[in-house]
Amino acid sequence: MRTPLALILGWAEQLEQDTALPAAARQKACGIRTQSEKLRALIEDLNLTSKLQYGAQPLRCRPTQAGPLLRRLAAEFCDSPLAARCTVALEIAPDADKAILDADAALLARAVENLLHNAACHNPGPVQVQLSAVRTGKTLRITIADDGAGYPSAVLHALQTGEAGEDTPHILGLHVVEQIIRAHGGTAAFARNAPRGAKAVLVLPVTEDPAAR
């Protein structure tokens, strides 16, 4: 599916930028490009979840310091077009900043990015997102919380029970987050934020800090 989708995206971008076309036609081309990009993201998530489910996605784990990784992800998100839809506040406790994870940094980044993108894309208006990290003993707790509409009841039911019906909203991106964190020996929990919004809590094991040896 990637090859024909790449052609659709390329043609849509060309039409969108063609000043010889009427404004209405260029707007339609913009819509085609936007929806095609969403389809591309869905294909990537579907491919990744299949690989994780059947153990076909090798983990390239190495010692990764939590603080720099989270700061980089927050900065990259703030530099993306989605940042126009929300503000991100980053809060990392000093001991969490120095925590060392045995992690596949690219996959872990994918999990956090999915949650940040969800906060920006699944809320009707501007939303505030809090990305925080604290260390408790040998675990690191990463929380991504927002003040938006919150997870629908059907989504929480599907995530907590594994049951999905015909009317269950799309949860593939959140399922990918669960799989990535589980592959790292951790847990992912999704709930309503207080007083409103959505909250995802990722708990990951912390390895021994090499500097402490």
Side-chain angles (χ1 to χ4, degrees), residues 130-185:
Q130 179 78 28
L131 172 57
S132 60
V134 296
R135 179 173 178 173
T136 305
K138 294 184 178 181
T139 62
L140 179 73
R141 182 183 297 265
I142 301 171
T143 302
I144 297 95
D146 65 61
D147 61 354
Y151 297 119
S153 298
V155 167
L156 291 176
H157 177 77
L159 289 168
Q160 293 166 1
T161 66
E163 301 174 359
E166 294 182 359
D167 298 328
T168 301
H170 166 63
I171 62 170
L172 181 58
L174 297 178
H175 183 51
V176 167
V177 172
E178 281 187 314
Q179 289 179 302
I180 291 173
I181 300 304
R182 193 181 304 126
H184 283 83

Side-chain angles (χ1 to χ4, degrees), residues 57-73:
Q57 175 68 40
L59 293 184
R60 297 176 175 84
C61 292
R62 61 183 60 189
T64 302
Q65 190 173 340
L69 174 63
L70 294 175
R71 283 194 292 274
R72 175 175 65 81
L73 294 176

Side-chain angles (χ1 to χ4, degrees), residues 27-76:
Q27 184 64 33
K28 289 179 181 178
C30 176
I32 293 171
R33 177 185 56 78
T34 300
Q35 296 304 317
S36 296
E37 288 173 346
K38 290 181 180 179
L39 182 58
R40 180 173 61 184
L42 287 173
I43 292 171
E44 291 174 352
D45 277 346
L46 184 59
N47 186 42
L48 179 56
T49 191
S50 297
K51 287 183 177 180
L52 289 168
Q53 181 176 354
Y54 296 107
Q57 175 68 40
L59 293 184
R60 297 176 175 84
C61 292
R62 61 183 60 189
T64 302
Q65 190 173 340
L69 174 63
L70 294 175
R71 283 194 292 274
R72 175 175 65 81
L73 294 176
E76 289 176 354

Side-chain angles (χ1 to χ4, degrees), residues 70-164:
L70 294 175
R71 283 194 292 274
R72 175 175 65 81
L73 294 176
E76 289 176 354
F77 181 81
C78 289
D79 287 338
S80 74
L82 288 175
R85 302 174 60 91
C86 64
T87 58
V88 177
L90 180 64
E91 184 177 349
I92 305 175
D95 54 349
D97 184 89
K98 298 177 181 178
I100 303 297
L101 307 172
D102 185 29
D104 183 321
L107 275 182
L108 196 55
R110 178 67 174 274
V112 174
E113 287 167 352
N114 273 14
L115 294 170
L116 292 174
H117 289 187
N118 273 3
C121 296
H122 294 290
N123 287 294
V127 62
Q128 294 184 345
V129 181
Q130 179 78 28
L131 172 57
S132 60
V134 296
R135 179 173 178 173
T136 305
K138 294 184 178 181
T139 62
L140 179 73
R141 182 183 297 265
I142 301 171
T143 302
I144 297 95
D146 65 61
D147 61 354
Y151 297 119
S153 298
V155 167
L156 291 176
H157 177 77
L159 289 168
Q160 293 166 1
T161 66
E163 301 174 359

